[in-house]
Amino acid sequence: MKFSTVLTVLGLAISGSCDHTNREPLTYAPIPEGTYVVPKNASITTLLDFVKSRDDLSTLASVLGQAGGFLQAFDAPTQWSYTFFAPSNTAFNKTGAYFSTYVATPKGKWWLGNLIQHHYVPNSQLKMSAFNTSFTRIQTGSFLYVGTQIVDGKLVLNHASTVTSANNVVTNGIVHVIDHILDPAAQIFEPDVVKTPQAFIAGSCSNPLLPYC
């Protein structure tokens, strides 16, 4: 009697869980109906507002919709400062067929989220004046590093990506448009490269004295 009761409870638990996991592995869960949306102040310019306002960032706007939660995050008002390096349509056009093929897969969409984070620097507004002709590095939201250097008056990242439109101001943030995407796999590993001064990123080892570093 007890055994049959256990089987009944187990069967109900399994059938109930199936209702919540009936989707492909590595795919994002749909946003539940009735989810609270933070009201937007008309005086605030979010990162998504900026992206949608520029024709040269239309591919980025489309890509954000493929990574779960990023449209909502980019459209939310922030209480912290940040810098974002926005890949232009030209940047995505240089990725080749493999990029679009891979991003279309479930695993590729998860990788895409990390790629976007690698272009985002939380807690710091890094204007062009923060960089110079010396080769330095900055830490991004992926906790990895990007190389930075002023070359012929323009900011170049990882010796490959050039800022084509600099110091675009949004609420609490600075946006630089770039002509190549920043691949996390191309991070700067050399420990002797000087770091550009920036604010601490929670969870990172910006402060080597932290016990988990």
Side-chain angles (χ1 to χ4, degrees):
M1 188 69 177
K2 291 182 178 179
F3 181 69
S4 62
T5 302
V6 171
L7 287 179
T8 301
V9 173
L10 181 60
L12 290 172
I14 293 174
S15 62
S17 65
C18 290
D19 293 337
H20 298 286
T21 59
N22 188 23
R23 64 177 191 271
E24 292 295 322
L26 295 179
T27 58
Y28 294 104
I31 298 175
E33 292 184 11
T35 299
Y36 176 75
V37 178
V38 179
K40 279 182 62 177
N41 188 317
S43 64
I44 291 177
T45 302
T46 66
L47 191 47
L48 186 62
D49 290 334
F50 175 80
V51 171
K52 287 187 172 182
S53 72
R54 295 185 55 127
D55 292 337
D56 60 342
L57 298 179
S58 59
T59 304
L60 175 60
S62 175
V63 165
L64 291 173
Q66 300 177 45
F70 276 85
L71 277 178
Q72 293 76 15
F74 272 47
D75 201 31
T78 66
Q79 302 301 316
W80 59 89
S81 60
Y82 65 89
T83 303
F84 184 65
F85 295 96
S88 65
N89 296 345
T90 299
F92 284 104
N93 289 338
K94 294 176 180 177
T95 56
Y98 175 77
F99 176 86
S100 56
T101 302
Y102 181 59
V103 167
T105 68
K107 189 174 182 180
K109 293 184 187 303
W110 281 72
W111 172 83
L112 184 61
N114 188 56
L115 176 76
I116 296 170
Q117 282 186 294
H118 193 56
H119 291 72
Y120 187 90
V121 181
N123 304 328
S124 297
Q125 291 190 22
L126 301 174
K127 297 181 179 181
M128 287 285 288
S129 57
F131 309 99
N132 54 53
T133 55
S134 299
F135 185 69
T136 60
R137 57 178 172 152
I138 55 174
Q139 190 172 38
T140 72
S142 66
F143 299 158
L144 302 177
Y145 288 93
V146 170
T148 63
Q149 187 176 23
I150 298 293
V151 179
D152 296 330
K154 294 185 177 181
L155 178 59
V156 179
L157 310 175
N158 286 350
H159 299 302
S161 182
T162 301
V163 170
T164 57
S165 176
N167 294 346
N168 298 283
V169 178
V170 294
T171 302
N172 292 334
I174 295 294
V175 183
H176 304 291
V177 179
I178 56 178
D179 65 356
H180 285 75
I181 65 169
L182 303 174
D183 188 345
Q187 79 143 328
I188 301 302
F189 287 99
E190 296 88 342
D192 57 336
V193 175
V194 176
K195 296 180 182 178
T196 298
Q198 65 181 104
F200 175 68
I201 300 176
S204 73
C205 282
S206 301
N207 182 354
L209 298 180
L210 292 171
Y212 56 79
C213 293

